[in-house]
Amino acid sequence: MKKVLYGAAVALGLVVLLSLFGERPYSRTEFMFDTVITIKAPDKGAVSACFDEIARLENLLSVYVSGSEVSKINDAPCGEEVKVSEETYNLLKKAKEYKKLTSGAFDITLKPVTDLWNIQGGGYVPTESELETALLKTGDLILSDETRTVKKPKPHMAIDLGGIAKGYAGDRVREILKEHGVKDALCDLGGNIVAVGRNGRNKWKIGLQHPQKIRGTAFGEIEAEDKSVVTSGGYERYFEKDGKTYHHITDPKTGKNPENGVFSVTVISDSCTEADALSTACFVLGKDASLEIAQNFGAEVVFFTDIGIFYTEGTEIEIY
Ligand code: AMP
Ligand code: MG
């Protein structure tokens, strides 16, 4: 890990620097998956197919869509086997694997805890005993490869794929663009950037949102070609109470926001699914504990922390 520049602090995001393509690409923006999604590519039909796919995945994986496979799991009584599609099953398996590989930092079963904090509904600061009770409802889903079913071992267990589903959607978008013969495109799924091919003769430049400055202010940029660049940050969703800010990323050990001085984490990887899970996990684990895990994944990571900006060796980054 190399220390690079200034120390400072606060929340983050991702700004895509746009001035790009040689020819003007078609661009479309929609609010889906509870976030703003923009896809720019030279083929309008391909972009349309990508949005159809994102809509399909939202109906499959979103916790906010009643009748989605995730909602079916959440609505099922404890111990009942819920049959799911191969796609959902595989993603749940991956999520479980990421939990193991990140020492429990990435955990899709935190929903009872995040429901308590109620960020979507304006926010609530739970008591210690409320948190303790909610944490008892977290754990591991029981997955059966033979029957492709999912079972909750505890009453009131519930899952939320908010830390990984947009990443999976990013990988599917890349595949669809390739199927349509699109060589170069830039997709932003709410801070999950998929850089397909190049921007003319150059690599894509992905701006990194400064956590303490207004949206659109970058603290640096990443050069990317056929990579996913995914950021997790406390500035994305939060509420304030009694002068304190509470955001949407939860430490599974405490049920609270991690207190490790991290304001944002950006992960660069071939897989958007992996980068999504890993960025959330690294945000929880903090800079030092994340390093070995990121190396095991073969991913590059950029941390914006209260003591400076740090990144893994070999990251193609320019700090402004
Ligand atoms: P991201 O923006 O990808 O870091 O994901 C944050 C979202 O994932 C939150 O809005 C929650 O829905 C969920 N989440 C929060 N904390 C965790 C965690 N430790 N592991 C997995 N998902 C989480
Ligand atoms: Mg994530």
Side-chain angles (χ1 to χ4, degrees), residues 238-283:
Y238 61 90
F239 69 94
E240 286 170 9
K241 181 92 199 302
D242 300 330
K244 216 173 162 258
T245 302
Y246 301 91
H247 60 71
H248 68 139
I249 301 174
T250 306
D251 183 341
K253 287 207 169 89
T254 62
K256 301 177 191 174
N257 289 157
E259 290 191 15
N260 52 25
V262 173
F263 293 102
S264 78
V265 180
T266 299
V267 175
I268 303 116
S269 163
D270 292 340
S271 157
C272 197
T273 310
E274 183 181 293
D276 197 1
L278 198 53
S279 68
T280 309
C282 290
F283 191 97

mmCIF file of all heavy atoms in Angstrom, residues 238-283:
data_model
loop_
_atom_site.group_PDB
_atom_site.id
_atom_site.type_symbol
_atom_site.label_atom_id
_atom_site.label_comp_id
_atom_site.label_asym_id
_atom_site.label_seq_id
_atom_site.Cartn_x
_atom_site.Cartn_y
_atom_site.Cartn_z
ATOM 1 N N TYR A 238 -27.326 8.428 3.784
ATOM 2 C CA TYR A 238 -27.076 8.670 5.202
ATOM 3 C C TYR A 238 -28.180 9.540 5.794
ATOM 4 O O TYR A 238 -29.017 10.084 5.075
ATOM 5 C CB TYR A 238 -25.714 9.360 5.399
ATOM 6 C CG TYR A 238 -25.614 10.700 4.722
ATOM 7 C CD1 TYR A 238 -25.987 11.872 5.393
ATOM 8 C CD2 TYR A 238 -25.171 10.806 3.409
ATOM 9 C CE1 TYR A 238 -25.901 13.102 4.764
ATOM 10 C CE2 TYR A 238 -25.091 12.029 2.776
ATOM 11 C CZ TYR A 238 -25.456 13.179 3.458
ATOM 12 O OH TYR A 238 -25.398 14.395 2.827
ATOM 13 N N PHE A 239 -28.175 9.642 7.116
ATOM 14 C CA PHE A 239 -29.033 10.620 7.783
ATOM 15 C C PHE A 239 -28.232 11.229 8.928
ATOM 16 O O PHE A 239 -27.185 10.701 9.323
ATOM 17 C CB PHE A 239 -30.345 9.983 8.277
ATOM 18 C CG PHE A 239 -30.173 9.016 9.433
ATOM 19 C CD1 PHE A 239 -30.315 9.443 10.748
ATOM 20 C CD2 PHE A 239 -29.890 7.677 9.205
ATOM 21 C CE1 PHE A 239 -30.179 8.548 11.816
ATOM 22 C CE2 PHE A 239 -29.744 6.784 10.261
ATOM 23 C CZ PHE A 239 -29.886 7.211 11.564
ATOM 24 N N GLU A 240 -28.716 12.340 9.430
ATOM 25 C CA GLU A 240 -28.016 13.009 10.536
ATOM 26 C C GLU A 240 -28.915 13.066 11.752
ATOM 27 O O GLU A 240 -30.123 13.296 11.641
ATOM 28 C CB GLU A 240 -27.621 14.430 10.113
ATOM 29 C CG GLU A 240 -26.448 14.427 9.148
ATOM 30 C CD GLU A 240 -26.171 15.777 8.511
ATOM 31 O OE1 GLU A 240 -26.783 16.774 8.948
ATOM 32 O OE2 GLU A 240 -25.371 15.803 7.575
ATOM 33 N N LYS A 241 -28.335 12.834 12.908
ATOM 34 C CA LYS A 241 -29.092 12.913 14.163
ATOM 35 C C LYS A 241 -28.156 13.482 15.225
ATOM 36 O O LYS A 241 -27.052 12.973 15.419
ATOM 37 C CB LYS A 241 -29.575 11.493 14.542
ATOM 38 C CG LYS A 241 -30.403 11.446 15.813
ATOM 39 C CD LYS A 241 -31.893 11.582 15.484
ATOM 40 C CE LYS A 241 -32.751 12.007 16.649
ATOM 41 N NZ LYS A 241 -32.728 11.182 17.811
ATOM 42 N N ASP A 242 -28.605 14.517 15.902
ATOM 43 C CA ASP A 242 -27.831 15.154 16.968
ATOM 44 C C ASP A 242 -26.391 15.428 16.536
ATOM 45 O O ASP A 242 -25.428 15.117 17.256
ATOM 46 C CB ASP A 242 -27.839 14.296 18.236
ATOM 47 C CG ASP A 242 -29.262 14.080 18.752
ATOM 48 O OD1 ASP A 242 -30.109 14.986 18.542
ATOM 49 O OD2 ASP A 242 -29.534 13.015 19.329
ATOM 50 N N GLY A 243 -26.257 15.974 15.342
ATOM 51 C CA GLY A 243 -24.935 16.374 14.847
ATOM 52 C C GLY A 243 -24.056 15.230 14.369
ATOM 53 O O GLY A 243 -22.912 15.445 13.970
ATOM 54 N N LYS A 244 -24.590 14.011 14.370
ATOM 55 C CA LYS A 244 -23.792 12.862 13.926
ATOM 56 C C LYS A 244 -24.381 12.298 12.625
ATOM 57 O O LYS A 244 -25.603 12.311 12.453
ATOM 58 C CB LYS A 244 -23.816 11.783 15.021
ATOM 59 C CG LYS A 244 -22.501 11.066 15.121
ATOM 60 C CD LYS A 244 -22.455 10.115 16.298
ATOM 61 C CE LYS A 244 -21.364 9.184 16.066
ATOM 62 N NZ LYS A 244 -21.122 8.047 15.706
ATOM 63 N N THR A 245 -23.499 11.851 11.756
ATOM 64 C CA THR A 245 -23.963 11.282 10.486
ATOM 65 C C THR A 245 -23.927 9.749 10.551
ATOM 66 O O THR A 245 -22.950 9.173 11.025
ATOM 67 C CB THR A 245 -23.039 11.757 9.339
ATOM 68 O OG1 THR A 245 -23.071 13.186 9.329
ATOM 69 C CG2 THR A 245 -23.517 11.259 7.988
ATOM 70 N N TYR A 246 -25.005 9.128 10.088
ATOM 71 C CA TYR A 246 -25.084 7.663 10.054
ATOM 72 C C TYR A 246 -25.338 7.245 8.606
ATOM 73 O O TYR A 246 -26.262 7.746 7.978
ATOM 74 C CB TYR A 246 -26.233 7.177 10.942
ATOM 75 C CG TYR A 246 -26.093 7.599 12.391
ATOM 76 C CD1 TYR A 246 -26.643 8.797 12.841
ATOM 77 C CD2 TYR A 246 -25.401 6.798 13.300
ATOM 78 C CE1 TYR A 246 -26.510 9.200 14.163
ATOM 79 C CE2 TYR A 246 -25.263 7.188 14.621
ATOM 80 C CZ TYR A 246 -25.816 8.383 15.052
ATOM 81 O OH TYR A 246 -25.683 8.775 16.361
ATOM 82 N N HIS A 247 -24.497 6.339 8.102
ATOM 83 C CA HIS A 247 -24.660 5.954 6.696
ATOM 84 C C HIS A 247 -25.094 4.492 6.541
ATOM 85 O O HIS A 247 -25.394 3.830 7.531
ATOM 86 C CB HIS A 247 -23.380 6.266 5.907
ATOM 87 C CG HIS A 247 -22.177 5.535 6.417
ATOM 88 N ND1 HIS A 247 -22.024 4.185 6.257
ATOM 89 C CD2 HIS A 247 -21.085 5.965 7.103
ATOM 90 C CE1 HIS A 247 -20.900 3.810 6.804
ATOM 91 N NE2 HIS A 247 -20.301 4.871 7.332
ATOM 92 N N HIS A 248 -25.079 4.025 5.306
ATOM 93 C CA HIS A 248 -25.752 2.758 4.958
ATOM 94 C C HIS A 248 -24.879 1.509 5.004
ATOM 95 O O HIS A 248 -25.347 0.425 4.657
ATOM 96 C CB HIS A 248 -26.358 2.898 3.553
ATOM 97 C CG HIS A 248 -25.321 2.995 2.464
ATOM 98 N ND1 HIS A 248 -25.444 2.352 1.259
ATOM 99 C CD2 HIS A 248 -24.137 3.649 2.412
ATOM 100 C CE1 HIS A 248 -24.390 2.615 0.512
ATOM 101 N NE2 HIS A 248 -23.582 3.393 1.191
ATOM 102 N N ILE A 249 -23.610 1.641 5.386
ATOM 103 C CA ILE A 249 -22.767 0.436 5.414
ATOM 104 C C ILE A 249 -22.547 -0.001 6.864
ATOM 105 O O ILE A 249 -22.139 0.796 7.715
ATOM 106 C CB ILE A 249 -21.425 0.671 4.684
ATOM 107 C CG1 ILE A 249 -21.726 1.072 3.232
ATOM 108 C CG2 ILE A 249 -20.573 -0.599 4.727
ATOM 109 C CD1 ILE A 249 -20.527 1.463 2.419
ATOM 110 N N THR A 250 -22.843 -1.257 7.115
ATOM 111 C CA THR A 250 -22.909 -1.769 8.483
ATOM 112 C C THR A 250 -21.801 -2.783 8.753
ATOM 113 O O THR A 250 -21.553 -3.667 7.933
ATOM 114 C CB THR A 250 -24.281 -2.466 8.680
ATOM 115 O OG1 THR A 250 -25.297 -1.536 8.323
ATOM 116 C CG2 THR A 250 -24.483 -2.915 10.112
ATOM 117 N N ASP A 251 -21.199 -2.659 9.912
ATOM 118 C CA ASP A 251 -20.235 -3.662 10.359
ATOM 119 C C ASP A 251 -21.021 -4.815 10.986
ATOM 120 O O ASP A 251 -21.699 -4.622 12.002
ATOM 121 C CB ASP A 251 -19.283 -3.031 11.387
ATOM 122 C CG ASP A 251 -18.212 -4.017 11.845
ATOM 123 O OD1 ASP A 251 -18.406 -5.238 11.666
ATOM 124 O OD2 ASP A 251 -17.192 -3.555 12.383
ATOM 125 N N PRO A 252 -20.946 -6.014 10.380
ATOM 126 C CA PRO A 252 -21.739 -7.142 10.906
ATOM 127 C C PRO A 252 -21.399 -7.502 12.352
ATOM 128 O O PRO A 252 -22.198 -8.144 13.024
ATOM 129 C CB PRO A 252 -21.382 -8.301 9.972
ATOM 130 C CG PRO A 252 -20.848 -7.663 8.739
ATOM 131 C CD PRO A 252 -20.193 -6.391 9.164
ATOM 132 N N LYS A 253 -20.219 -7.100 12.819
ATOM 133 C CA LYS A 253 -19.841 -7.443 14.203
ATOM 134 C C LYS A 253 -20.588 -6.584 15.212
ATOM 135 O O LYS A 253 -20.932 -7.024 16.299
ATOM 136 C CB LYS A 253 -18.337 -7.228 14.398
ATOM 137 C CG LYS A 253 -17.496 -8.288 13.697
ATOM 138 C CD LYS A 253 -16.165 -8.456 14.424
ATOM 139 C CE LYS A 253 -15.429 -9.677 13.907
ATOM 140 N NZ LYS A 253 -14.572 -9.377 12.762
ATOM 141 N N THR A 254 -20.856 -5.316 14.854
ATOM 142 C CA THR A 254 -21.445 -4.376 15.819
ATOM 143 C C THR A 254 -22.865 -3.962 15.462
ATOM 144 O O THR A 254 -23.599 -3.454 16.311
ATOM 145 C CB THR A 254 -20.598 -3.087 15.879
ATOM 146 O OG1 THR A 254 -20.628 -2.484 14.566
ATOM 147 C CG2 THR A 254 -19.165 -3.382 16.268
ATOM 148 N N GLY A 255 -23.218 -4.107 14.184
ATOM 149 C CA GLY A 255 -24.522 -3.612 13.730
ATOM 150 C C GLY A 255 -24.521 -2.111 13.512
ATOM 151 O O GLY A 255 -25.568 -1.507 13.261
ATOM 152 N N LYS A 256 -23.333 -1.518 13.620
ATOM 153 C CA LYS A 256 -23.216 -0.055 13.447
ATOM 154 C C LYS A 256 -22.285 0.258 12.277
ATOM 155 O O LYS A 256 -21.650 -0.650 11.726
ATOM 156 C CB LYS A 256 -22.611 0.560 14.713
ATOM 157 C CG LYS A 256 -23.411 0.312 15.966
ATOM 158 C CD LYS A 256 -22.668 0.919 17.140
ATOM 159 C CE LYS A 256 -23.298 0.471 18.446
ATOM 160 N NZ LYS A 256 -22.543 0.915 19.610
ATOM 161 N N ASN A 257 -22.136 1.531 11.976
ATOM 162 C CA ASN A 257 -21.158 1.932 10.966
ATOM 163 C C ASN A 257 -19.761 1.561 11.463
ATOM 164 O O ASN A 257 -19.478 1.712 12.657
ATOM 165 C CB ASN A 257 -21.185 3.454 10.740
ATOM 166 C CG ASN A 257 -22.426 3.935 10.012
ATOM 167 O OD1 ASN A 257 -22.803 5.100 10.126
ATOM 168 N ND2 ASN A 257 -23.075 3.083 9.272
ATOM 169 N N PRO A 258 -18.908 1.095 10.544
ATOM 170 C CA PRO A 258 -17.540 0.814 10.965
ATOM 171 C C PRO A 258 -16.849 2.107 11.427
ATOM 172 O O PRO A 258 -17.154 3.181 10.909
ATOM 173 C CB PRO A 258 -16.861 0.294 9.694
ATOM 174 C CG PRO A 258 -17.874 0.298 8.620
ATOM 175 C CD PRO A 258 -19.149 0.834 9.122
ATOM 176 N N GLU A 259 -15.965 1.971 12.403
ATOM 177 C CA GLU A 259 -15.210 3.162 12.845
ATOM 178 C C GLU A 259 -13.745 2.906 12.595
ATOM 179 O O GLU A 259 -13.008 2.495 13.481
ATOM 180 C CB GLU A 259 -15.494 3.429 14.314
ATOM 181 C CG GLU A 259 -16.908 3.917 14.508
ATOM 182 C CD GLU A 259 -17.183 4.455 15.895
ATOM 183 O OE1 GLU A 259 -16.222 4.721 16.636
ATOM 184 O OE2 GLU A 259 -18.374 4.589 16.223
ATOM 185 N N ASN A 260 -13.340 3.090 11.361
ATOM 186 C CA ASN A 260 -11.954 2.784 10.994
ATOM 187 C C ASN A 260 -11.317 3.907 10.179
ATOM 188 O O ASN A 260 -10.258 3.722 9.586
ATOM 189 C CB ASN A 260 -11.911 1.462 10.208
ATOM 190 C CG ASN A 260 -12.886 1.479 9.030
ATOM 191 O OD1 ASN A 260 -13.234 2.547 8.527
ATOM 192 N ND2 ASN A 260 -13.332 0.314 8.596
ATOM 193 N N GLY A 261 -11.967 5.062 10.140
ATOM 194 C CA GLY A 261 -11.382 6.211 9.441
ATOM 195 C C GLY A 261 -11.533 6.165 7.929
ATOM 196 O O GLY A 261 -11.012 7.030 7.224
ATOM 197 N N VAL A 262 -12.241 5.163 7.401
ATOM 198 C CA VAL A 262 -12.405 5.059 5.946
ATOM 199 C C VAL A 262 -13.616 5.876 5.503
ATOM 200 O O VAL A 262 -14.698 5.748 6.072
ATOM 201 C CB VAL A 262 -12.590 3.586 5.511
ATOM 202 C CG1 VAL A 262 -12.939 3.496 4.030
ATOM 203 C CG2 VAL A 262 -11.333 2.786 5.814
ATOM 204 N N PHE A 263 -13.414 6.700 4.493
ATOM 205 C CA PHE A 263 -14.532 7.480 3.937
ATOM 206 C C PHE A 263 -15.015 6.912 2.607
ATOM 207 O O PHE A 263 -16.171 7.059 2.269
ATOM 208 C CB PHE A 263 -14.129 8.937 3.769
ATOM 209 C CG PHE A 263 -13.901 9.586 5.092
ATOM 210 C CD1 PHE A 263 -12.614 9.788 5.565
ATOM 211 C CD2 PHE A 263 -14.965 9.944 5.889
ATOM 212 C CE1 PHE A 263 -12.408 10.359 6.801
ATOM 213 C CE2 PHE A 263 -14.770 10.511 7.134
ATOM 214 C CZ PHE A 263 -13.484 10.714 7.594
ATOM 215 N N SER A 264 -14.094 6.307 1.876
ATOM 216 C CA SER A 264 -14.517 5.623 0.650
ATOM 217 C C SER A 264 -13.500 4.566 0.260
ATOM 218 O O SER A 264 -12.317 4.671 0.584
ATOM 219 C CB SER A 264 -14.717 6.622 -0.490
ATOM 220 O OG SER A 264 -13.490 7.001 -1.048
ATOM 221 N N VAL A 265 -14.003 3.555 -0.417
ATOM 222 C CA VAL A 265 -13.147 2.488 -0.953
ATOM 223 C C VAL A 265 -13.532 2.266 -2.402
ATOM 224 O O VAL A 265 -14.711 2.112 -2.708
ATOM 225 C CB VAL A 265 -13.358 1.150 -0.210
ATOM 226 C CG1 VAL A 265 -12.450 0.076 -0.793
ATOM 227 C CG2 VAL A 265 -13.124 1.295 1.270
ATOM 228 N N THR A 266 -12.537 2.236 -3.265
ATOM 229 C CA THR A 266 -12.781 1.898 -4.669
ATOM 230 C C THR A 266 -12.025 0.618 -4.996
ATOM 231 O O THR A 266 -10.842 0.507 -4.676
ATOM 232 C CB THR A 266 -12.295 3.036 -5.590
ATOM 233 O OG1 THR A 266 -13.028 4.219 -5.267
ATOM 234 C CG2 THR A 266 -12.501 2.699 -7.057
ATOM 235 N N VAL A 267 -12.729 -0.332 -5.593
ATOM 236 C CA VAL A 267 -12.094 -1.603 -5.982
ATOM 237 C C VAL A 267 -12.104 -1.712 -7.503
ATOM 238 O O VAL A 267 -13.127 -1.448 -8.145
ATOM 239 C CB VAL A 267 -12.835 -2.804 -5.360
ATOM 240 C CG1 VAL A 267 -12.249 -4.126 -5.867
ATOM 241 C CG2 VAL A 267 -12.752 -2.751 -3.841
ATOM 242 N N ILE A 268 -10.968 -2.088 -8.063
ATOM 243 C CA ILE A 268 -10.848 -2.268 -9.518
ATOM 244 C C ILE A 268 -10.603 -3.750 -9.778
ATOM 245 O O ILE A 268 -9.661 -4.337 -9.232
ATOM 246 C CB ILE A 268 -9.672 -1.429 -10.080
ATOM 247 C CG1 ILE A 268 -9.889 0.049 -9.715
ATOM 248 C CG2 ILE A 268 -9.563 -1.579 -11.598
ATOM 249 C CD1 ILE A 268 -8.879 0.621 -8.814
ATOM 250 N N SER A 269 -11.474 -4.332 -10.594
ATOM 251 C CA SER A 269 -11.403 -5.784 -10.805
ATOM 252 C C SER A 269 -12.011 -6.130 -12.160
ATOM 253 O O SER A 269 -12.753 -5.341 -12.738
ATOM 254 C CB SER A 269 -12.202 -6.467 -9.680
ATOM 255 O OG SER A 269 -12.502 -7.795 -10.015
ATOM 256 N N ASP A 270 -11.718 -7.333 -12.656
ATOM 257 C CA ASP A 270 -12.359 -7.784 -13.899
ATOM 258 C C ASP A 270 -13.846 -8.015 -13.675
ATOM 259 O O ASP A 270 -14.657 -7.827 -14.578
ATOM 260 C CB ASP A 270 -11.732 -9.110 -14.371
ATOM 261 C CG ASP A 270 -10.297 -8.914 -14.819
ATOM 262 O OD1 ASP A 270 -9.937 -7.759 -15.124
ATOM 263 O OD2 ASP A 270 -9.534 -9.895 -14.834
ATOM 264 N N SER A 271 -14.195 -8.456 -12.483
ATOM 265 C CA SER A 271 -15.589 -8.794 -12.179
ATOM 266 C C SER A 271 -16.261 -7.684 -11.373
ATOM 267 O O SER A 271 -15.777 -7.294 -10.311
ATOM 268 C CB SER A 271 -15.625 -10.106 -11.374
ATOM 269 O OG SER A 271 -16.826 -10.195 -10.635
ATOM 270 N N CYS A 272 -17.379 -7.211 -11.903
ATOM 271 C CA CYS A 272 -18.110 -6.140 -11.198
ATOM 272 C C CYS A 272 -18.782 -6.710 -9.944
ATOM 273 O O CYS A 272 -18.868 -6.038 -8.918
ATOM 274 C CB CYS A 272 -19.140 -5.532 -12.147
ATOM 275 S SG CYS A 272 -19.762 -3.932 -11.618
ATOM 276 N N THR A 273 -19.230 -7.958 -10.023
ATOM 277 C CA THR A 273 -19.854 -8.611 -8.864
ATOM 278 C C THR A 273 -18.853 -8.659 -7.708
ATOM 279 O O THR A 273 -19.158 -8.289 -6.571
ATOM 280 C CB THR A 273 -20.270 -10.066 -9.223
ATOM 281 O OG1 THR A 273 -21.011 -10.043 -10.439
ATOM 282 C CG2 THR A 273 -21.087 -10.697 -8.124
ATOM 283 N N GLU A 274 -17.661 -9.117 -8.038
ATOM 284 C CA GLU A 274 -16.621 -9.251 -7.018
ATOM 285 C C GLU A 274 -16.217 -7.881 -6.464
ATOM 286 O O GLU A 274 -16.072 -7.706 -5.254
ATOM 287 C CB GLU A 274 -15.415 -9.933 -7.662
ATOM 288 C CG GLU A 274 -14.283 -10.200 -6.727
ATOM 289 C CD GLU A 274 -13.122 -10.868 -7.459
ATOM 290 O OE1 GLU A 274 -13.291 -12.022 -7.891
ATOM 291 O OE2 GLU A 274 -12.077 -10.227 -7.609
ATOM 292 N N ALA A 275 -16.063 -6.908 -7.366
ATOM 293 C CA ALA A 275 -15.657 -5.564 -6.928
ATOM 294 C C ALA A 275 -16.714 -4.959 -6.007
ATOM 295 O O ALA A 275 -16.384 -4.270 -5.035
ATOM 296 C CB ALA A 275 -15.434 -4.658 -8.145
ATOM 297 N N ASP A 276 -17.980 -5.243 -6.288
ATOM 298 C CA ASP A 276 -19.073 -4.699 -5.473
ATOM 299 C C ASP A 276 -19.021 -5.277 -4.052
ATOM 300 O O ASP A 276 -19.009 -4.544 -3.058
ATOM 301 C CB ASP A 276 -20.420 -5.027 -6.141
ATOM 302 C CG ASP A 276 -21.552 -4.179 -5.601
ATOM 303 O OD1 ASP A 276 -21.308 -3.319 -4.734
ATOM 304 O OD2 ASP A 276 -22.701 -4.372 -6.048
ATOM 305 N N ALA A 277 -18.943 -6.593 -3.968
ATOM 306 C CA ALA A 277 -18.884 -7.230 -2.645
ATOM 307 C C ALA A 277 -17.629 -6.793 -1.896
ATOM 308 O O ALA A 277 -17.667 -6.476 -0.697
ATOM 309 C CB ALA A 277 -18.899 -8.752 -2.804
ATOM 310 N N LEU A 278 -16.526 -6.737 -2.622
ATOM 311 C CA LEU A 278 -15.250 -6.420 -1.984
ATOM 312 C C LEU A 278 -15.191 -4.968 -1.512
ATOM 313 O O LEU A 278 -14.628 -4.675 -0.446
ATOM 314 C CB LEU A 278 -14.119 -6.711 -2.983
ATOM 315 C CG LEU A 278 -12.711 -6.848 -2.431
ATOM 316 C CD1 LEU A 278 -12.658 -7.874 -1.311
ATOM 317 C CD2 LEU A 278 -11.732 -7.240 -3.542
ATOM 318 N N SER A 279 -15.778 -4.054 -2.267
ATOM 319 C CA SER A 279 -15.725 -2.638 -1.847
ATOM 320 C C SER A 279 -16.507 -2.459 -0.539
ATOM 321 O O SER A 279 -16.062 -1.753 0.370
ATOM 322 C CB SER A 279 -16.255 -1.700 -2.937
ATOM 323 O OG SER A 279 -17.628 -1.870 -3.135
ATOM 324 N N THR A 280 -17.642 -3.129 -0.433
ATOM 325 C CA THR A 280 -18.419 -3.054 0.809
ATOM 326 C C THR A 280 -17.614 -3.662 1.958
ATOM 327 O O THR A 280 -17.515 -3.082 3.049
ATOM 328 C CB THR A 280 -19.765 -3.794 0.641
ATOM 329 O OG1 THR A 280 -20.414 -3.322 -0.548
ATOM 330 C CG2 THR A 280 -20.673 -3.587 1.834
ATOM 331 N N ALA A 281 -17.014 -4.827 1.693
ATOM 332 C CA ALA A 281 -16.246 -5.516 2.745
ATOM 333 C C ALA A 281 -15.027 -4.701 3.179
ATOM 334 O O ALA A 281 -14.743 -4.594 4.377
ATOM 335 C CB ALA A 281 -15.809 -6.889 2.238
ATOM 336 N N CYS A 282 -14.306 -4.125 2.213
ATOM 337 C CA CYS A 282 -13.106 -3.339 2.557
ATOM 338 C C CYS A 282 -13.496 -2.102 3.353
ATOM 339 O O CYS A 282 -12.755 -1.659 4.235
ATOM 340 C CB CYS A 282 -12.348 -2.924 1.299
ATOM 341 S SG CYS A 282 -11.554 -4.305 0.460
ATOM 342 N N PHE A 283 -14.647 -1.531 3.040
ATOM 343 C CA PHE A 283 -15.123 -0.373 3.797
ATOM 344 C C PHE A 283 -15.312 -0.765 5.264
ATOM 345 O O PHE A 283 -15.000 -0.010 6.177
ATOM 346 C CB PHE A 283 -16.438 0.142 3.196
ATOM 347 C CG PHE A 283 -16.865 1.468 3.744
ATOM 348 C CD1 PHE A 283 -16.578 2.647 3.068
ATOM 349 C CD2 PHE A 283 -17.543 1.554 4.948
ATOM 350 C CE1 PHE A 283 -16.958 3.883 3.587
ATOM 351 C CE2 PHE A 283 -17.920 2.774 5.476
ATOM 352 C CZ PHE A 283 -17.633 3.948 4.796
#
